[in-house]
Amino acid sequence: MPFSVEFNPPRDEAGEARLWRAVREFERMHPAFVSMTYGAGGSTKDRTVRVTGQLARETTLLPVAHLTAVGHSVAELRSLVGAYADSGIRNILVLRGDPPGDPLGEWHRHPQGVEYAEELVRIVRDLGDFHVGVASFPQGHHRSPDLDTDTAYLTAKLRAGAEYSITQMFFDVEHYLRLRDRVAAFDPVEGAKPIIPELMPITSLRTVARAEELCGRPLPSAVLERLRRAAGDGPEENRAAVRAAGIEIATEMAERLIEEGAPCLHFITLNFAKATSEVLTNLGYGVRAAPVSA
């Protein structure tokens, strides 16, 4: 079973040093690919392009660059794709993107931009020989009126030329399985394309809020209760116990996903390697010396 990891563009020099420590740690575990996110509204555009290019040139990893439509004209989007291509990037994850400042706020199309990720998929595919992925949503996107509509939107992106999707983070494997069933029932051809589940190990109660922000949904009550029991009733949470519970939950989810035939496991790392590495070790992934870069 392959795995992949997601990084975020660093905000400063200290963050960049932390990112590269995580990169080198994961490089020893040989992920199928690594993705680099793109700040809301393109707020980290230049840093994202630079660091993703460095991953392509200076490591043995296969980078996948995120590209979002929000806040950009079609001309700017074409220019960004060109910048990725100049850096040796041929794999792009296309997203409509969240509004800057408030991810749940009202989405506004750029006057010279695109309305839907489906349009951006077509733009990227028309610009050259790129491998394109898109996002999928196990519980439905928060802007979709219902799951049937959400399934139709995902299928449209796949029909436009996307080769796979990576899900939004979730904490109930049943949601992933029902998503897979919905797409296969709606369009068996597109439903055969890989739907990669996204996971994030919880390491503290503080990261629960971050997890809920990233997935746009509250964590399942059973998961929250398990983490709160680990935290204890003292004035401060038992961080070690919460972290152990979070690693255990992520491991159990990953084991179930492997049993159910998920094509890959994609981990949000927040640019830290340790928690994800522990989950992977629990699953039997070995750490080997990284191959020498060319």
Side-chain angles (χ1 to χ4, degrees), residues 25-81:
E25 181 68 24
F26 283 118
E27 193 172 23
R28 297 171 60 224
M29 301 187 79
H30 303 274
F33 65 89
V34 298
S35 69
M36 179 63 68
T37 66
Y38 192 80
S43 58
T44 56
K45 175 183 65 176
D46 293 340
R47 193 182 295 268
T48 298
V49 173
R50 176 178 63 79
V51 174
T52 309
Q54 285 180 267
L55 287 171
R57 294 188 304 272
E58 301 174 14
T59 77
T60 60
L61 300 170
L62 175 66
V64 175
H66 288 213
L67 180 68
T68 64
V70 64
H72 291 309
S73 68
V74 169
E76 289 170 334
L77 292 167
R78 290 176 181 273
S79 176
L80 280 166
V81 174

Side-chain angles (χ1 to χ4, degrees), residues 137-154:
F137 302 89
Q139 294 173 266
H141 192 279
H142 64 271
R143 293 188 179 87
S144 292
D146 52 56
L147 291 178
D148 288 342
T149 302
D150 191 79
T151 303
Y153 279 131
L154 173 57

Side-chain angles (χ1 to χ4, degrees), residues 173-214:
V173 173
E174 289 299 320
H175 292 312
Y176 169 81
L177 299 177
R178 300 293 79 77
L179 166 66
R180 197 169 64 177
D181 292 344
R182 286 196 303 273
V183 180
F186 189 88
D187 187 326
V189 173
E190 303 304 329
K193 292 180 177 178
I195 299 177
I196 299 173
E198 183 175 71
L199 306 172
M200 187 178 84
I202 297 291
T203 55
S204 70
L205 292 185
R206 187 176 67 175
T207 61
V208 169
R210 178 61 171 155
E212 292 182 335
E213 177 186 345
L214 289 170

Side-chain angles (χ1 to χ4, degrees), residues 39-41 70-71 96-108 141-143:
V70 64
R96 190 165 82 150
D98 294 321
D102 180 7
L104 301 180
E106 187 174 356
W107 199 92
H108 295 285
H141 192 279
H142 64 271
R143 293 188 179 87

Side-chain angles (χ1 to χ4, degrees), residues 41 87 128 276-277 290:
S87 296
T276 298
S277 295

Side-chain angles (χ1 to χ4, degrees), residues 246-260:
I247 298 294
E248 189 175 67
I249 290 166
T251 300
E252 292 169 1
M253 291 180 63
E255 289 172 339
R256 174 84 189 282
L257 288 162
I258 291 170
E259 290 174 1
E260 295 287 353

